[in-house]
Amino acid sequence: MESATEAFVAHRSLLFTVAYEMLGSAADAEDVLQETWLRWVGVELGEVRDQRAYLVRITTRQALSRLRTLGRRKESYVGPWLPEPLLTAPDVAEDVELAESVSMAMLLVLETLTPTERAVFVLREVFDLHYDEIAEAVDKSAVTVRQIAHRARAHVAARRPRGVASPAESRDALAAFRRAIETGDLQGLLDILAPDVVLLTDGGGVVQAAPQPVVGAGKVARLMEAGLPRLSGRVSLEPVQVNGCPALIVRIDGEIDNVVAVRIDDGLVTGLYIVRNPEKLSRVRQETAVRR
């Protein structure tokens, strides 16, 4: 039992990251880890050649099962659905590939894949598993997995940010957003908004949020401007690292109200993601370890 525990603890952050990238939900990823542990303790360790690969395989299978259930649950979700934001350590941003893979923008791209495509893409492109290992995890042949990987890569390439924004670009975008909130002047924000910027606000039907995506710089600016006078003087904004990228935690009267993340293409903000659903804000109070 001790060696099983040691192996699980040693790989826990990796397993959480695999599950989270497949599910976009920390709460569901934790449930997957619990299920992985229950199956892991029943394994005869002497017969396991590669403990890391074996644990990843269990985690992937459990995450796939839960992902299919989540798909049905999201169909009845009120308003836009956004991933559950994670407060991450500064060193996550130093691993550019990891930071991109857990970013809000990329997780939303992964939402457009089928469950199996998502699993194959995450395991191959992010965690660099061999096709044979992935085949065992998703119960497909290695030849089929290669085909799925090719299809998923093409799908993601057509939708991912055109270039990974530098931390400085993300910080500049969020600084403009912060100035707009603190001063009530949205011109600085308009200067960095792409004409076709999309604002998504996730309230989960629990708190007020835009029921549909808001598209266009003018509409986004007007929506934000309408709420500024009401909140003036009550708002504080804290620059943080969320999902490996610069972001803001917005507090109203000292309480966390939302998290703001952005997608940047060619120096302009093309996506503005605001998570308000209180059930999704628990992971921004303390850092979550993610790793490859």
Side-chain angles (χ1 to χ4, degrees):
M1 176 65 76
E2 185 177 350
S3 57
T5 302
E6 289 174 350
F8 186 82
V9 170
H11 297 297
R12 192 185 190 287
S13 294
L14 163 71
L15 301 178
F16 173 85
T17 309
V18 170
Y20 176 74
E21 291 201 17
M22 286 183 60
L23 300 169
S25 164
D28 287 296
E30 291 289 0
D31 288 343
V32 163
L33 258 62
Q34 181 64 27
E35 293 160 2
T36 298
W37 165 250
L38 292 175
R39 283 160 177 73
W40 175 241
V41 293
V43 171
E44 179 56 57
L45 294 186
E47 300 176 3
V48 177
R49 185 176 70 255
D50 184 335
Q51 293 184 344
R52 177 183 182 272
Y54 198 100
L55 280 163
V56 168
R57 185 161 70 243
I58 299 175
T59 300
T60 300
R61 287 176 174 171
Q62 297 307 312
L64 269 173
S65 176
R66 187 163 290 254
L67 186 58
R68 295 183 176 109
T69 301
L70 280 178
R72 294 190 292 272
R73 199 189 307 169
K74 287 172 188 172
E75 291 175 2
S76 59
Y77 195 82
V78 179
W81 179 94
L82 288 172
E84 184 177 352
L86 307 177
L87 186 67
T88 50
D91 63 352
V92 173
E94 296 172 7
D95 184 336
V96 176
E97 290 183 359
L98 176 61
E100 185 198 15
S101 72
V102 297
S103 69
M104 299 287 275
M106 178 55 75
L107 291 175
L108 284 173
V109 172
L110 295 182
E111 283 292 311
T112 63
L113 297 171
T114 68
T116 302
E117 286 173 342
R118 187 167 183 170
V120 170
F121 181 87
V122 167
L123 295 179
R124 179 61 185 168
E125 299 301 312
V126 182
F127 297 97
D128 199 28
L129 264 66
H130 295 298
Y131 289 110
D132 290 342
E133 294 176 301
I134 300 172
E136 290 187 35
V138 300
D139 292 323
K140 305 282 185 184
S141 70
V143 172
T144 299
V145 165
R146 284 180 181 273
Q147 295 170 340
I148 294 172
H150 177 76
R151 187 167 65 242
R153 273 196 301 270
H155 183 96
V156 171
R159 292 162 178 80
R160 77 195 311 165
R162 289 185 285 274
V164 178
S166 69
E169 285 179 312
S170 297
R171 283 194 299 270
D172 287 347
L174 285 158
F177 178 86
R178 184 178 184 179
R179 285 193 300 272
I181 295 295
E182 292 176 339
T183 67
D185 176 14
L186 293 183
Q187 187 56 50
L189 180 60
L190 280 168
D191 289 342
I192 62 164
L193 289 180
D196 58 350
V197 62
V198 178
L199 167 67
L200 298 176
T201 310
D202 182 340
V206 181
V207 296
Q208 186 176 8
Q212 300 291 335
V214 179
V215 182
K219 290 181 180 179
V220 169
R222 285 194 295 273
L223 178 68
M224 294 175 56
E225 188 176 28
L228 291 179
R230 179 171 55 85
L231 298 175
S232 180
R234 300 168 51 204
V235 180
S236 64
L237 297 95
E238 177 188 358
V240 291
Q241 289 278 339
V242 166
N243 291 55
C245 303
L248 293 172
I249 292 177
V250 180
R251 290 180 172 83
I252 298 178
D253 295 331
E255 297 296 323
I256 295 178
D257 179 80
N258 65 76
V259 170
V260 180
V262 297
R263 168 174 168 163
I264 298 175
D265 289 281
D266 299 327
L268 294 176
V269 175
T270 57
L272 194 57
Y273 312 121
I274 302 178
V275 181
R276 293 202 68 215
N277 186 346
E279 297 175 2
K280 292 186 176 182
L281 297 177
S282 64
R283 288 283 183 150
V284 295
R285 300 179 190 280
Q286 61 181 27
E287 288 181 1
T288 296
V290 295
R291 72 176 180 85
R292 292 196 289 168

